[in-house]
Amino acid sequence: MPINTQRPHTGSVSAQAFRNAMATIASPVSVVTAMDGQRPHGTTVSAFASLSLTPPMVLVSLDNHSQLLAIIRRTGRLGLNILGTHQTGLAATFARSDQGKFDDVMWSPSENLPRLPDAAAWIAAEVDEYVTAGDHTVLLAHVYAAETGEEGPQPLTYHQRSFGTHTPLAA
């Protein structure tokens, strides 16, 4: 079978058509955090995943114009607060673009990074590589701390532009 070696058309699909297609995918939701001196910063993301077990690595995608990305570039470290379904309010709070996201949010330092209480899981990582990809940068990071939450809540997902959860199928 011949291999198509021609470069695919760039920009041939509308941004809206692409958004609509991606909305059909259920994505996990987390809040990525970092410290800027004594001040915590964070943003909600659904573009993150485990990357490697040996060594333990994750990937996180952040907007190129994100203030959080600039902070992580300076510090080289990030926290990944993987949210449960009981944390839709936190997901909405950290999805905002204003500066006061931590104003009414309880948090504690863990590994010198902002950690949100009652998350389904917590990961602390050091960024090894920054890969520019379109309007985002993909961070490839080595995990140096990982813990699951105590209650094991259902994971928070983002699907069809709303927060929800995964429901296991009956066997």
Side-chain angles (χ1 to χ4, degrees), residues 16 25 37 39 45-46 79 82 85 92 100 103 130-131 133 137 144 162:
Q16 190 59 50
I25 301 168
R39 187 167 177 218
V45 301
S46 59
I82 301 168
T85 54
D103 289 351
Y130 301 86
V131 180
T137 296
Y144 63 87
S162 64

Side-chain angles (χ1 to χ4, degrees), residues 16 45 49 52 97 163 169:
Q16 190 59 50
V45 301
S52 169
S97 60
F163 295 117
L169 296 173

